[in-house]
Amino acid sequence: MQTFIQQLTQVLGQKYILTQDQDKAPFLTDWRKRFSGKALAIVLPASTTEVARIVQLCAEYRIAIVPQGGHTGFCGGATPDSSGNQIVLNLKRMNRIHGVDIANQTITVEAGCILQAIQENAAAQGFLFPLSLGAEGSCMIGGNLATNAGGTNVLRYGNARDLCLGLEVVTAKGEVWNGLKGLRKDNTGYDLRDLFIGSEGTLGIITSAVMKLYPLPISQWTTLVATENVSATIALLNLFQKRATSLLTGFEMMTQESLALNAKHFPQLKNPLGDKTPFSILIELSDHESEAHVRQLLEGILEEAFAADIITDAVIANNLAQANTFWHMREHITLAQAEEGANLKHDITIPLSSLDKFISETDALMRSKFPGVRIINFGHLGDGNLHYNIAPPEGVDQKVFNLTYEKAIHELVYGQVERFHGSISAEHGVGQLKLADLRAHKGNVAHDLMKSLKQALDPQNILNPHKVVSI
Ligand code: FAD
Ligand code: MLT
Ligand code: ZN
């Protein structure tokens, strides 16, 4: 091991290889504090050449590598195991923005760029980089691509995969694949870019990417709308899809129970619709014509929704500050959950046509089998993505509750997801958290194909082993 560390030192210099416990600690526990591991070293490269050299050394010494960006992932993908034999390869020093290509409407960035820095750089040049999520101040684009992150703009612009035109990746052999072409069409055989996106560091290490940009909208209008139930909410979504078409850029649902958790931990965040509203829906329209045009459109759709008895109340944000308070309310549910304890999260998608039935059946099963539980149900309803989370009954210790019921609760939810032809991971990935669940629910053929790919691309199993799929 000493020789390995010495050789690493020759590549990076001592300063960028952390081996002391106090220096390693900040890299070893995930954001939700669900996973903690140990590491031989934390390694901080500054270039693709350095990443390639590190991987070559790891291949030679058979040392496993855990790639890491902002460490905000929800499935423990970037947390090492407890052996102390793995290295964490954190990409935060690779944070250069290579530039915007105005004619091609793209931005080329290194993997360690913070998502918000990319948004800001693009905006300064008149462009929108639409990937947007609560962790955008600390997650990194390499992590976003490795998890195929979603967020709040997916219904209009797609997820991280849809926004990516090219990648540079260091393979398990330590070779560099340069796929940074930025093409919108390229049918030259297998799509390697799509293979690495969403692979959570198990097939290669993403070092740079070419991402799509869009024109910045001239005006955005945000409204909070009250509905009585899921079927009315879906009718409302369909109405907005029909009338606003591509101007609809956000459609988020929050239940009364999830906002009650906000009220408990962040009482300053008041719901303008009142705390008895069964479903609060946050809707955003983005327009390229004029403020008057979008405001008129929004008011017209809301009038139609009132007339059709789909909604019971609505508040339109008067200015950016008020719109931001609506979004804060939505984003704080995750933070309120973190304050509450290690909630049981299920990040699922269900076809919108079955969502109503899924929720009513699953809620009923959950409440009858686990009386008193709080169902913290919210999400990106516009793309069928629900965050179906379970908190213990008020006053019950979360850790004790999880120890006793976690497995049974996951089984209930994932069983229902399978029955309704959904997915057990819509946007958060698999990591170590859902390794066994993926095995159980992906289907044998798909799971075997995934194993074959892993074996072919990483035969020594040194890239993030026992995450996503075990070989
Ligand atoms: P990390 O957590 O560091 O890593 C995630 C996975 O990617 C790991 O498996 C890691 O090994 C791998 N990886 C990281 N970098 C690389 C690389 N360069 N090459 C290869 N593999 C790599 N997610 C959503 O999808 N939608 C949301 O709305 C959303 N909201 C969130 C809100 C909050 C408050 C928080 C804390 C998290 C949220 N997340 C959300 C989850 C998380 O932010 C995303 O999964 C994000 O994409 C992870 O990026 P990261 O840089 O933190 O990756
Ligand atoms: C969100 O939509 O806010 C994120 O995915 C985080 C979460 O699920 O808590
Ligand atoms: Zn989400």
Coordinates of all heavy atoms in Angstrom, one line a residue, residues 2 9 86 88 90 123 145 279 293 316 393 408:
Q2 N 2.0 1.2 0.7 CA 2.9 2.4 0.8 C 3.4 2.7 -0.6 O 3.4 3.9 -1.0 CB 4.1 2.0 1.7 CG 4.0 2.6 3.1 CD 3.1 3.8 3.3 OE1 1.9 3.7 3.5 NE2 3.7 5.0 3.0
T9 N 1.5 9.9 -5.1 CA 2.1 11.2 -4.7 C 2.9 11.8 -5.9 O 3.0 13.0 -6.1 CB 3.0 11.0 -3.4 OG1 2.2 10.3 -2.5 CG2 3.4 12.4 -2.8
Q86 N -10.6 1.3 -0.3 CA -10.9 2.0 -1.5 C -10.4 3.5 -1.5 O -10.2 4.0 -0.4 CB -12.5 2.1 -1.6 CG -13.1 0.7 -1.6 CD -14.6 0.8 -1.8 OE1 -15.3 1.6 -1.4 NE2 -15.1 -0.2 -2.6
V88 N -11.3 7.4 -2.6 CA -12.3 8.3 -3.1 C -11.7 9.3 -4.0 O -10.7 9.9 -3.7 CB -13.0 9.1 -1.9 CG1 -13.9 10.2 -2.4 CG2 -13.8 8.2 -1.0
N90 N -12.3 12.5 -5.7 CA -13.2 13.6 -5.8 C -12.8 14.6 -6.9 O -11.6 15.0 -6.9 CB -13.2 14.3 -4.4 CG -14.2 15.5 -4.3 OD1 -14.1 16.5 -5.0 ND2 -15.3 15.3 -3.6
A123 N -26.2 32.0 -18.0 CA -27.1 33.2 -18.0 C -26.3 34.5 -18.3 O -26.9 35.4 -19.0 CB -27.7 33.3 -16.6
L145 N -24.5 14.0 -14.2 CA -24.6 13.1 -15.3 C -24.5 11.6 -14.9 O -25.2 10.7 -15.4 CB -23.4 13.4 -16.3 CG -23.7 14.7 -17.1 CD1 -22.4 15.3 -17.7 CD2 -24.7 14.5 -18.2
F279 N -53.9 19.4 -1.6 CA -52.8 19.4 -2.6 C -52.4 20.8 -3.0 O -53.3 21.5 -3.6 CB -53.1 18.6 -3.8 CG -53.3 17.1 -3.5 CD1 -54.6 16.6 -3.1 CD2 -52.3 16.2 -3.6 CE1 -54.7 15.3 -2.8 CE2 -52.4 14.9 -3.3 CZ -53.7 14.4 -2.9
H293 N -48.1 38.7 -22.3 CA -48.6 37.5 -23.0 C -48.7 36.3 -22.0 O -49.8 35.7 -22.0 CB -47.7 37.2 -24.2 CG -48.0 35.9 -24.8 ND1 -47.2 34.7 -24.6 CD2 -49.0 35.5 -25.7 CE1 -47.8 33.8 -25.3 NE2 -48.8 34.2 -26.0
I316 N -51.3 33.9 -7.7 CA -50.2 34.2 -8.6 C -49.1 35.1 -8.0 O -49.4 36.0 -7.3 CB -50.8 34.9 -9.9 CG1 -51.8 34.0 -10.6 CG2 -49.6 35.3 -10.9 CD1 -52.4 34.6 -11.8
P393 N -44.9 7.6 12.9 CA -45.9 8.4 13.6 C -45.2 9.4 14.5 O -44.1 9.2 15.0 CB -46.6 7.3 14.5 CG -46.3 6.0 13.8 CD -45.0 6.2 13.2
A408 N -40.0 -3.8 5.3 CA -41.4 -4.1 4.9 C -42.0 -2.9 4.2 O -42.8 -3.1 3.2 CB -42.2 -4.4 6.2

